[in-house]
Amino acid sequence: MRAAVITAPQTVEIQEVALPKPGPTQVRIKMEGCGLCASNIPVWQGREWFSYPIPAGNPGHEGWGVVDAVGAEVKTIKIGDRVAALSYHAYAEYDLAEADAVVQIPEILAGVPFPGEPLGCAINIFKRSDIQAGQTVAILGIGFLGALLVQLAKEAGARVIALSQREYSLNVAAETGADELIKLDDHYQIIEKVKALTGGKFCERVIECTGKEWPLNLSGELTAERGKLIIAGFHQDGMRSVNVQLWNWRGLDVINAHERDPKIYLSGIAEAVKAVTTGRLNPQPLYTHEFSLENIAEAFQLLNNRPDGFMKALIKF
């Protein structure tokens, strides 16, 4: 099969590698597609803690496709089932997953891209956020995840303030239902704007989706007394200095919304399937770019640069 191999920072090759065989409890998936995740950027850019070449197909983890082989002990999944998978080498024509680490995609979504892992992640973050009708929710960073959270918060009956650096992202936030739009530029002006919008009380819920230090600190400033600050951004490039004095004084609940239990991930993906089929969640307009496997280097570069018009890229097979 063909698979993408990151052989060195910002260097990727399409190589012929052995077709994997499923173990007794595994299924093999003929991939239809795989989303690109912002967490891929460091391994693409290069960090001292990575060893190259990266294993074939890695770090693709947003894959979906059709099961074409099953292990001897697998009873719940059959050949021909269309599934979203928790697998980790999905930048390839085939990948393996444990049979209990896939979620079936219903026929109503036939032909529809379904990168289950990030959709399930959005559902799980939303659940951890405990958003209630009538609350004011600030969402910092309107990428794919932030835009999904705008939809979910609005569906829950909250008032949403969207904050982002890109004008394009703010336009997307407006299209997905955000009530107020603020450009992430001047720290103190942003605080004053949110203060004015909330009658001096700030926001009952603040979700930080950027993974950067300054927006994380800004998020604390925007959170109301006894509010919840939810860290959804993936902080992976070093230590963070935060204003714990402020967090203490306001009595904030600070929630790290990243999950590590595969069962919770799968529960989120299953709920995302229902949310998409019922229209509660509409990710389709957010899939802005598609690339073949041969052009994955271009996709990585686009993800790294995030030009206007870019929200989510998919590798299609």
PDB file of all heavy atoms in Angstrom, residues 21 63 95 177 213 269 288 313:
ATOM      1  N   LYS A  21      -1.749  -6.624   8.376  1.00  0.00           N
ATOM      2  CA  LYS A  21      -2.723  -7.699   8.602  1.00  0.00           C
ATOM      3  C   LYS A  21      -3.322  -7.543   9.992  1.00  0.00           C
ATOM      4  O   LYS A  21      -2.590  -7.368  10.971  1.00  0.00           O
ATOM      5  CB  LYS A  21      -2.046  -9.056   8.465  1.00  0.00           C
ATOM      6  CG  LYS A  21      -1.534  -9.348   7.061  1.00  0.00           C
ATOM      7  CD  LYS A  21      -0.905 -10.732   6.977  1.00  0.00           C
ATOM      8  CE  LYS A  21      -0.421 -11.020   5.567  1.00  0.00           C
ATOM      9  NZ  LYS A  21       0.192 -12.373   5.459  1.00  0.00           N
ATOM     10  N   GLY A  63      -9.069   9.384  10.799  1.00  0.00           N
ATOM     11  CA  GLY A  63      -9.443   8.631   9.624  1.00  0.00           C
ATOM     12  C   GLY A  63     -10.827   8.003   9.672  1.00  0.00           C
ATOM     13  O   GLY A  63     -11.391   7.749  10.737  1.00  0.00           O
ATOM     14  N   ASP A  95      -5.342   1.203   7.345  1.00  0.00           N
ATOM     15  CA  ASP A  95      -4.854   1.284   8.720  1.00  0.00           C
ATOM     16  C   ASP A  95      -5.572   0.229   9.547  1.00  0.00           C
ATOM     17  O   ASP A  95      -6.657  -0.255   9.170  1.00  0.00           O
ATOM     18  CB  ASP A  95      -5.088   2.679   9.305  1.00  0.00           C
ATOM     19  CG  ASP A  95      -4.223   2.964  10.532  1.00  0.00           C
ATOM     20  OD1 ASP A  95      -3.362   2.114  10.864  1.00  0.00           O
ATOM     21  OD2 ASP A  95      -4.404   4.024  11.156  1.00  0.00           O
ATOM     22  N   GLY A 177     -23.129  31.161  14.005  1.00  0.00           N
ATOM     23  CA  GLY A 177     -24.082  31.603  15.020  1.00  0.00           C
ATOM     24  C   GLY A 177     -23.571  32.484  16.118  1.00  0.00           C
ATOM     25  O   GLY A 177     -24.337  32.856  17.020  1.00  0.00           O
ATOM     26  N   GLU A 213       0.071  30.757  24.953  1.00  0.00           N
ATOM     27  CA  GLU A 213       0.128  31.299  26.311  1.00  0.00           C
ATOM     28  C   GLU A 213      -0.701  32.577  26.472  1.00  0.00           C
ATOM     29  O   GLU A 213      -1.464  32.703  27.433  1.00  0.00           O
ATOM     30  CB  GLU A 213       1.580  31.578  26.713  1.00  0.00           C
ATOM     31  CG  GLU A 213       1.723  32.050  28.153  1.00  0.00           C
ATOM     32  CD  GLU A 213       3.178  32.191  28.552  1.00  0.00           C
ATOM     33  OE1 GLU A 213       3.929  32.896  27.834  1.00  0.00           O
ATOM     34  OE2 GLU A 213       3.569  31.603  29.570  1.00  0.00           O
ATOM     35  N   ILE A 269     -17.335  10.277  19.758  1.00  0.00           N
ATOM     36  CA  ILE A 269     -17.529  10.042  18.320  1.00  0.00           C
ATOM     37  C   ILE A 269     -18.932   9.530  18.045  1.00  0.00           C
ATOM     38  O   ILE A 269     -19.593   9.971  17.093  1.00  0.00           O
ATOM     39  CB  ILE A 269     -16.462   9.065  17.789  1.00  0.00           C
ATOM     40  CG1 ILE A 269     -15.070   9.686  17.897  1.00  0.00           C
ATOM     41  CG2 ILE A 269     -16.756   8.687  16.339  1.00  0.00           C
ATOM     42  CD1 ILE A 269     -13.935   8.725  17.580  1.00  0.00           C
ATOM     43  N   THR A 288     -12.708  22.832   4.214  1.00  0.00           N
ATOM     44  CA  THR A 288     -12.451  23.828   3.170  1.00  0.00           C
ATOM     45  C   THR A 288     -11.479  23.366   2.094  1.00  0.00           C
ATOM     46  O   THR A 288     -11.470  23.926   1.001  1.00  0.00           O
ATOM     47  CB  THR A 288     -11.914  25.121   3.797  1.00  0.00           C
ATOM     48  OG1 THR A 288     -10.768  24.813   4.613  1.00  0.00           O
ATOM     49  CG2 THR A 288     -12.974  25.796   4.650  1.00  0.00           C
ATOM     50  N   ALA A 313      -8.476  20.776   6.468  1.00  0.00           N
ATOM     51  CA  ALA A 313      -8.054  20.047   5.284  1.00  0.00           C
ATOM     52  C   ALA A 313      -8.256  18.551   5.491  1.00  0.00           C
ATOM     53  O   ALA A 313      -8.058  18.034   6.598  1.00  0.00           O
ATOM     54  CB  ALA A 313      -6.585  20.326   4.977  1.00  0.00           C
TER      55      ALA A 313
END
